[in-house]
Amino acid sequence: MNLKRVVVTGLGAITPLGNTVDELWNSLLNGVSGAAAITRFDASRYKTQFACEIKNYEPTDYFDRKEVRKIDPYAQFAMIAADQAIEDAKFDLDKLDKDRVGVIFGTGIGGFTSFLNEVVEFAKGDGTPRFNPFFIPKIIGDIAPGHISIKYGFRGPNYATTSACASAGHAILDAFNHIRLGKADVFVTGGAEAGVNPAGIGGFNAMHAISTRNDDPKTASRPFDKDRDGFVLGEGGGALILEEYEHALKRGATIYAEIAGEGSSADAYHITSPHPDGLGAMMAMRLAIRDAGMKLTDVDHINTHGTSTPVGDIAEPKAVVSLFGEHAYKINLNATKSMHGHLLGAAAVVEVIATILTVKNNIIPPTINHFTDDPEIDNNLNFTFHQAVKRQVDFALSNAFGFGGHNTCIAIKKFKA
């Protein structure tokens, strides 16, 4: 069977580093940290009092007041990113065959904030159930793709993917496979999460998963640094327009890059820790490269999962060295989570966007906040510390891993007609 080619023709993002793709990209290239004191709630009694929140976000700038009451922040972020991507793709929506347009979006938790608020209000009462009629539609994880399809009338495949911090990775690879199998022409895909709330911070604190460096939030996310003490929780959304190549060509679309392959795997090891030798990560990368029809030595760049957790940051470099051998030292690795934090269900798509722009522009954003080498990490690897690097990048990978041992790798190739 001849598989169809899949290209990227639109991007959208609302992140702690900016509320558009241009703002995100400029912040990444300039090594800006999105971490700051939490404003969403009073965090003074929490071990962690900072996060990577979206700045200058006023929901009524995007939605009317009735919509704001009906749509959880995670779905708001998804819709804003999707709106941007659809506008960026410059479709003539009146001519688009909407039966051939699908929406697949990932989220780790869904309407976390709405669930928390509703249950807290119930607990304050006398036991009489007085729930908001929009409670269930606000919290379900599949409501974001539902909202997007309803707004635009897209009637193709529509659902959500949930695999913790790999959720958006699975959404992208599912959309990619639908198009190359000929089941749709266009997909709006990506992920969103809004987990900066008392339960999110408290829950990850209880797991000892997030940094407690309250004295210096901007340097708290330290991927691959010896003194890393956990990730920095973030929030936001990202979206891609994936399009069948001939369909994009026919309408004269601007093409950012080509999605060339995908790999996914399970660690089958532990609910929160990766396999110590990175076996699952290695398999996902190997499968993505093979699926793309490329060689190991073709890889120029990897946007790592790189969360700044003590265990995860050791396993992933091991996987890179084990898979690539000597070529590993010729690859520019980076961890953009050092700047935008960990966006959970939105993390994979924001990092894929960064990787797409890296391939398009031949410039690799840095990994910031590196101070001390970790003797347990092969520091002969090129982690692109401190400053962006210009380099010809024709083929790159973007990794995402999630609690439960879920792994995805998206292979991105410079577009050539």
Side-chain angles (χ1 to χ4, degrees):
M1 180 178 182
N2 292 325
L3 297 175
K4 296 179 181 296
R5 294 175 67 183
V6 180
V7 294
V8 182
T9 58
L11 304 175
I14 177 165
T15 76
L17 296 181
N19 298 351
T20 67
V21 171
D22 285 345
E23 290 176 6
L24 166 67
W25 182 239
N26 288 330
S27 295
L28 289 173
L29 294 184
N30 287 292
V32 175
S33 169
I38 289 171
T39 64
R40 294 275 181 271
F41 64 97
D42 179 3
S44 59
R45 298 174 67 184
Y46 287 72
K47 291 179 182 176
T48 296
Q49 298 165 3
F50 62 94
C52 281
E53 295 176 328
I54 292 173
K55 317 296 187 299
N56 305 315
Y57 181 62
E58 173 49 57
T60 53
D61 290 345
Y62 302 92
F63 307 93
D64 66 37
R65 293 190 182 280
K66 287 184 179 177
E67 288 177 315
V68 171
R69 288 197 295 271
K70 295 177 182 177
I71 304 173
D72 183 86
Y74 107 88
Q76 294 176 21
F77 299 155
M79 294 179 72
I80 292 166
D83 286 346
Q84 291 178 12
I86 291 165
E87 182 179 359
D88 188 39
K90 297 181 173 59
F91 291 115
D92 183 340
L93 292 171
D94 292 332
K95 294 182 179 177
L96 192 62
D97 182 355
K98 296 176 182 175
D99 291 345
R100 299 279 297 170
V101 182
V103 185
I104 305 176
F105 250 68
T107 184
I109 308 174
F112 195 7
T113 302
S114 296
F115 183 85
L116 174 65
N117 292 342
E118 199 79 9
V119 171
V120 167
E121 286 303 311
F122 173 70
K124 290 177 181 175
D126 61 2
T128 304
R130 296 186 180 88
F131 288 93
N132 186 314
F134 296 103
F135 174 44
I136 299 300
K138 284 176 74 173
I139 67 170
I140 54 179
D142 61 333
I143 202 64
H147 278 301
I148 295 165
S149 68
I150 291 166
K151 179 172 182 176
Y152 290 97
F154 297 152
R155 293 180 290 269
N158 186 287
Y159 57 89
T161 53
T162 295
S163 49
C165 307
S167 297
H170 280 107
I172 294 167
L173 68 84
D174 269 10
F176 168 65
N177 284 326
H178 272 89
I179 294 174
R180 66 177 177 166
L181 288 170
K183 296 183 177 180
D185 298 323
V186 176
F187 261 92
V188 187
T189 185
E193 202 78 75
V196 182
N197 59 45
I201 294 293
F204 283 117
N205 268 157
M207 295 175 66
H208 304 288
I210 55 177
S211 172
T212 57
R213 206 178 296 276
N214 295 315
D215 59 333
D216 194 4
K218 291 192 180 304
T219 71
S221 183
R222 303 183 180 191
F224 310 114
D225 186 276
K226 179 177 179 295
D227 297 323
R228 64 195 181 279
D229 69 336
F231 66 80
V232 177
L233 187 61
E235 61 181 5
L240 310 176
I241 302 299
L242 300 190
E243 190 167 355
E244 193 275 322
Y245 168 62
E246 295 292 341
H247 188 275
L249 204 63
K250 188 176 180 181
R251 69 180 187 88
T254 298
I255 295 173
Y256 285 95
E258 181 168 358
I259 302 296
E262 54 85 2
S264 62
S265 68
D267 281 340
Y269 176 72
H270 188 271
I271 58 171
T272 57
S273 294
H275 190 285
D277 294 324
L279 297 184
M282 184 168 57
M283 182 187 297
M285 288 189 284
R286 178 190 290 121
L287 291 172
I289 294 165
R290 182 184 300 166
D291 191 36
M294 305 295 280
K295 304 188 296 291
L296 293 173
T297 51
D298 291 325
V299 176
D300 302 307
H301 162 58
I302 302 173
N303 191 320
T304 66
H305 186 61
T307 56
S308 183
T309 54
V311 176
D313 284 9
I314 294 174
E316 191 173 11
K318 282 185 179 178
V320 171
V321 172
S322 298
L323 178 61
F324 292 95
E326 283 302 311
H327 183 67
Y329 304 101
K330 299 177 182 178
I331 299 171
N332 275 88
L333 311 176
N334 72 354
T336 51
K337 286 188 182 76
S338 61
M339 293 174 275
H340 53 64
H342 196 342
L343 277 61
L344 307 180
V349 66
V350 170
E351 290 159 33
V352 166
I353 289 171
T355 309
I356 288 168
L357 293 174
T358 293
V359 169
K360 181 176 184 293
N361 298 309
N362 296 314
I363 182 166
I364 301 162
T367 305
I368 67 168
N369 298 332
H370 184 76
F371 304 99
T372 309
D373 288 347
D374 184 340
E376 294 192 67
I377 294 174
D378 187 341
N379 285 286
N380 290 316
L381 290 165
N382 184 353
F383 290 102
T384 322
F385 288 131
H386 310 306
Q387 290 188 325
V389 170
K390 292 183 179 179
R391 170 183 175 169
Q392 180 72 22
V393 180
D394 293 322
F395 185 56
L397 307 178
S398 186
N399 289 340
F401 315 137
F403 285 167
H406 319 294
N407 309 298
T408 65
C409 179
I410 306 296
I412 298 156
K413 192 163 65 173
K414 192 179 290 295
F415 172 68
K416 295 179 182 176

